Amino acid sequence: MTRSRPFSLPEGEATPEALYLGRRQIVAGMAAAGLLPAPAFATTDVGKLARLGARRTLDAGEPATPLADVAGYNNFYEFGLDKGDPARRADTLKPSPWTLRIGGLVQKPVTLDVDRFVARAPLEERVYRFRCVEGWSMVIPWVGVPLSALLSVVEPLGSARYVAFRTLADPAQMPGLRSPVLDWPYREGLRLDEAMHPLTLAAVGLYGRRLPNQNGAPIRLVVPWKYGFKSIKSIVAIDFTERQPETSWNMATPGEYGFFSNVNPNVDHPRWSQARERRIGEFRRRDTLLFNGYAADVAGLYRGMDLKRFF
Ligand code: MTE
C-alpha cells in the first residue's frame, strides 16, 4: 500500500504524533538523498483551512491517526477510485458558499448556509474510531455537532422513519462523475433512531480545522459504529422519508452491502473478513470490536434484530 503526502502541513502545527514528525524527517531525508520520487503535490493545503473553536467532548482513548493519513488516504469516488486520488484531485471542489437543504416529511424545511451555520454552531471535538469494511481503521478528531441538533430544527413529522442523504453531483467540480462506477449522486440513509442517536455527528472539521475537500467539505456524516461508507461526504440534501432510502453501495452490489452496515466482527463481507483490522500506521492487526467499540451506547438500537440478515 503506498500513500502519498499530497498537501503541505501547516507551519508549526502541533500534531500529537511524534511518530509522524519522525517519519516525515526520514522521508524528507530520503527525498533529499534522491532515493524517493518527488511527491505529487496538490493545491489542497490543510494549513490554509480555517481553524475552528471547539471543545472536546469525547475521546477514543487512543492516539489519533496522523493528519497526513486522515487527509491523504481517502475514499471519495467523485474524485477517483485510488486512495490517493481525492487528496490529489479534490481541489476542484468549491465548498464555499454551500447550501444544505433539509426537507421531506418535516414541518419546517430549511435551506442552510453552511458557512453561517459553522460560524454559529456550538462545535464539539470528538475523537472517534473509524473502520472501513476493507479492513483498515483510523482514529480521527472530528469537529461537528450532533446530527440530531441539526435535524430537530425542521420538526420531523410522525410519519418519518428514515433519513436520506445526498452528495453534490457536479461534473464541473467532480471529475470522477464521468465514471459510471456508482449511480450518482452518491446516496446514503439511516433509520430515524440512528440519525438522532447522540453519537451521530454532522462533521464540519477535523484536527481543529474546516474539513479538507478530500474528507467531504464542507459537511459530512460520521456514524462511528458503522462502516466508513455510511459517512457520506459533501452533503447537499437531507430528506426525512417513510420508506427505507436507497444507498449507493447497496444499489451497486446488494449482496455485499446492506442498509445497516454495522461494524460487526461476526458478520463477514463476502470478500473481506470483519474479525480483525489494521490501524493505519500500525503493523499488527487487532481484533475488531462489536459496533466498533460503541456497543454500550448503540446495541439497544438493534435489540431483537438478526444482524446477519440485516447486514
Ligand atoms: N461519500 C461520497 N460522496 N463518496 C464516496 O465515495 N466514500 C465513503 C465515505 N463517504 C464516499 C463517501 C467511504 S467508502 C469511506 S471509507 C469514507 O467516506 C472515507 O472517509 P475519509 O476519506 O474521510 O476517511
Side-chain angles (χ1 to χ4, degrees):
M1 179 173 60
T2 55
R3 272 174 275 135
S4 54
R5 303 259 177 271
F7 54 84
S8 59
L9 252 196
E11 201 57 42
E13 184 78 56
T15 83
E17 300 300 297
L19 173 74
Y20 170 71
L21 290 171
R23 208 169 51 189
R24 211 175 163 218
Q25 276 153 14
I26 293 164
V27 171
M30 286 169 78
L35 298 174
L36 285 179
F41 282 96
T43 56
T44 312
D45 184 342
V46 176
K48 292 202 177 114
L49 296 169
R51 283 182 194 278
L52 294 169
R55 65 191 176 97
R56 180 170 288 196
T57 56
L58 215 142
D59 204 320
E62 299 179 62
T65 301
L67 172 62
D69 293 321
V70 176
Y73 187 77
N74 304 99
N75 277 331
F76 198 169
Y77 278 21
E78 288 86 336
F79 297 97
L81 308 188
D82 188 87
K83 299 279 188 283
D85 284 342
R88 273 192 297 271
R89 301 168 75 189
D91 53 312
T92 50
L93 180 71
K94 298 282 167 283
S96 174
W98 190 279
T99 51
L100 165 59
R101 190 188 54 72
I102 311 179
L105 299 174
V106 302
Q107 208 68 261
K108 297 181 177 162
V110 296
T111 301
L112 269 182
D113 175 317
V114 173
D115 285 336
R116 284 182 60 196
F117 169 75
V118 173
R120 293 171 183 189
L123 298 177
E124 297 177 33
E125 180 172 69
R126 295 185 179 185
V127 187
Y128 279 162
R129 289 179 289 276
F130 184 86
R131 189 194 189 280
C132 177
V133 70
E134 294 165 7
W136 49 269
S137 62
M138 300 192 188
V139 178
I140 305 178
W142 299 105
V143 177
V145 296
L147 181 68
S148 62
L150 195 58
L151 296 187
S152 43
V153 173
V154 297
E155 297 178 19
L157 300 177
S159 52
R161 294 185 55 218
Y162 294 90
V163 184
F165 303 84
R166 206 172 70 225
T167 294
L168 176 76
D170 177 3
Q173 298 183 58
M174 299 169 147
L177 296 186
R178 283 196 289 270
S179 153
V181 60
L182 291 174
D183 183 5
W184 312 110
Y186 192 99
R187 275 159 278 181
E188 256 310 335
L190 294 174
R191 215 171 53 190
L192 189 60
D193 56 352
E194 297 174 327
M196 300 305 262
H197 192 279
L199 283 177
T200 303
L201 200 67
V204 297
L206 53 80
Y207 265 101
R209 291 177 184 267
R210 290 292 292 260
L211 284 174
N213 286 354
Q214 59 268 35
N215 292 94
I219 187 161
R220 57 91 60 83
L221 187 64
V222 179
V223 194
W225 68 97
K226 291 180 179 284
Y227 289 119
F229 53 86
K230 279 280 171 186
S231 300
I232 182 170
K233 297 178 169 181
S234 305
I235 302 170
V236 290
I238 302 180
D239 281 290
F240 287 79
T241 65
E242 194 166 356
R243 310 222 348 229
Q244 184 176 299
E246 291 185 314
T247 75
S248 291
W249 291 102
N250 182 242
M251 285 188 287
T253 46
E256 297 192 17
Y257 303 106
F259 179 79
F260 285 94
S261 311
N262 289 311
V263 173
N264 189 339
N266 308 313
V267 182
D268 282 341
H269 180 276
R271 285 185 281 140
W272 300 291
S273 163
Q274 301 301 306
R276 294 171 74 71
E277 68 195 61
R278 199 178 68 78
R279 277 269 194 290
I280 296 290
E282 290 181 0
F283 185 67
R284 271 210 287 161
R285 287 178 195 276
R286 52 167 81 201
D287 289 343
T288 287
L289 303 173
L290 182 61
F291 297 116
N292 208 19
Y294 300 94
D297 298 296
V298 302
L301 295 173
Y302 309 103
R303 199 158 288 137
M305 263 177 86
D306 176 356
L307 294 177
K308 285 202 162 70
R309 185 163 161 235
F310 297 101
F311 59 98

